[in-house]
Amino acid sequence: MAEFKVVVADPETGETFQREVDGQDANRFLGRELGDEIGGDAVGLPEHTIELTGGSDETGRPMREDVSGTRLKELLLEGGVGFEPSREGERKRITVRGREIDDDVAQINASVVDGEGDVAAAFGEGDADDADE
């Protein structure tokens, strides 16, 4: 059974929210690719649409948009997802994961692209300080 940690970013406020999904909600992500838009009800945002922007597997290998399927692939990178060079011209061979989500993926990164209402309130993480006053 698939189980993922989904990190949802709200670009309007700059906040991120983590949710654990399993069972039928996790199955909605299987077979999807980076860049796909899905309904947010799988993570508790029924009024929103989210876009899959990235992720990583259990060992921390990042998913890359330019690698097809679910496979692992070694790439010679000059920068970008998976490698940040420390000096100009540096290149390194890095193992990355493909853009399709499967059971080997541990974390999925997503961003809210459409919807009505406050994302923090939908997750139940509104300002607690305001409620006390």
Side-chain angles (χ1 to χ4, degrees):
M1 183 63 80
E3 185 175 314
F4 304 114
K5 178 186 291 186
V6 181
V7 179
V8 180
D10 182 5
E12 290 183 12
T13 63
E15 293 180 292
T16 58
F17 307 93
Q18 292 186 14
R19 290 290 172 261
E20 298 278 340
V21 295
D22 57 2
Q24 188 172 1
D25 288 336
N27 289 340
R28 295 180 188 183
F29 291 100
L30 293 176
R32 302 290 183 139
E33 294 185 349
L34 298 183
D36 287 353
E37 292 184 3
I38 63 172
D41 51 345
V43 293
L45 295 172
E47 302 293 323
H48 296 80
T49 302
I50 60 174
E51 177 184 8
L52 305 178
T53 58
S56 60
D57 62 11
E58 304 90 15
T59 60
R61 293 184 192 110
M63 297 175 71
R64 280 189 61 110
E65 183 84 34
D66 57 351
V67 178
S68 64
T70 61
R71 64 194 171 124
L72 293 176
K73 186 172 183 180
E74 279 193 4
L75 300 177
L76 186 61
L77 300 179
E78 295 178 353
V81 176
F83 175 60
E84 189 67 37
S86 59
R87 62 183 191 278
E88 189 174 327
E90 181 180 11
R91 298 188 309 172
K92 190 173 182 181
R93 188 162 307 279
I94 301 292
T95 303
V96 296
R97 183 161 290 284
R99 66 176 167 250
E100 187 177 329
I101 296 173
D102 68 349
D103 288 333
D104 294 329
V105 174
Q107 176 180 316
I108 301 170
N109 302 330
S111 180
V112 175
V113 292
D114 190 26
E116 306 224 354
D118 186 26
V119 175
F123 280 129
E125 295 185 16
D127 287 347
D129 295 338
D130 294 343
D132 293 338
E133 295 178 9

